Amino acid sequence: MSQWPSLLVGYEGADPLPTTFNPDGKSLYNPPGLRSAAYDEFPKQFDPSKNGFDFHIYHMPAVAAQAQYAKELHERVRREFPELRIHEFWDGPAGPHPTTTFQVDTFNPHQTGAFFSWLVVHRGPCDVLVHPNTGDALRDHTELTTWIGRSWPLYEGCLV
């Protein structure tokens, strides 16, 4: 049996989806249905005692232009997204993170989507590790991680 549970549980008796295309000729037509709960709440696998997602913004401190950009990005995020939890700017490696970083926490899907899309455009030379908080730090930082930009190796020993 697969280590991944079926994502179609609850849809066993559903009508087959149509194979017709929308007028754009590229995307498939989906019949109207209920709005996904994922727009308003995180999946049940998330740890409800923690924030939903952590964004760890990395840069290379030895590269002066990157260091300056990262400091400006930190300030801009604080000004643009004051409702998010924005951590201090670390001057070196911290925890599993191999380089200078700062962290931003989001608390609902709307914040996560807005910050993600903003950061994709404004990250500049910085790379970003994005992970959920499910209560399993090792899995969150490895298997469930998404990177914006290049990925960096993590010190996994402190996550066990």
Side-chain angles (χ1 to χ4, degrees):
M1 184 169 168
S2 170
Q3 67 173 342
W4 302 103
S6 173
L7 294 175
L8 297 178
V9 171
Y11 293 93
E12 292 88 349
D15 292 335
L17 290 170
T19 57
T20 55
F21 287 91
N22 285 314
D24 65 11
K26 300 176 188 175
S27 61
L28 292 168
Y29 169 74
N30 290 319
L34 297 175
R35 182 177 176 195
S36 172
Y39 284 103
D40 299 311
E41 57 191 45
F42 289 123
K44 65 181 178 178
Q45 295 87 343
F46 283 41
D47 182 344
S49 71
K50 299 185 178 207
N51 62 289
F53 277 87
D54 292 351
F55 290 74
H56 301 276
I57 293 101
Y58 291 15
H59 76 279
M60 296 173 60
V63 179
Q66 279 193 28
Q68 180 62 34
Y69 190 90
K71 287 181 180 174
E72 290 178 7
L73 180 61
H74 184 255
E75 181 176 339
R76 175 71 184 271
V77 169
R78 290 184 69 198
R79 293 179 184 282
E80 186 99 7
F81 298 95
E83 69 283 0
L84 304 181
R85 183 167 51 206
I86 302 154
H87 295 248
E88 67 182 306
F89 194 94
W90 290 92
D91 290 329
H97 309 290
T99 190
T100 303
T101 184
F102 69 92
Q103 177 177 329
V104 178
D105 302 336
T106 60
F107 297 89
N108 62 57
H110 294 284
Q111 289 177 343
T112 304
F115 187 61
F116 187 97
S117 60
W118 185 90
L119 199 54
V120 164
V121 174
H122 292 91
R123 71 177 178 86
C126 300
D127 301 304
V128 185
L129 179 157
V130 183
H131 71 80
N133 287 302
T134 67
D136 183 340
L138 179 61
R139 187 170 181 244
D140 292 348
H141 283 82
T142 55
E143 186 180 331
L144 300 179
T145 292
T146 297
W147 286 91
I148 305 172
R150 297 170 300 156
S151 63
W152 293 61
L154 300 179
Y155 171 61
E156 296 175 14
C158 67
L159 297 171
V160 185

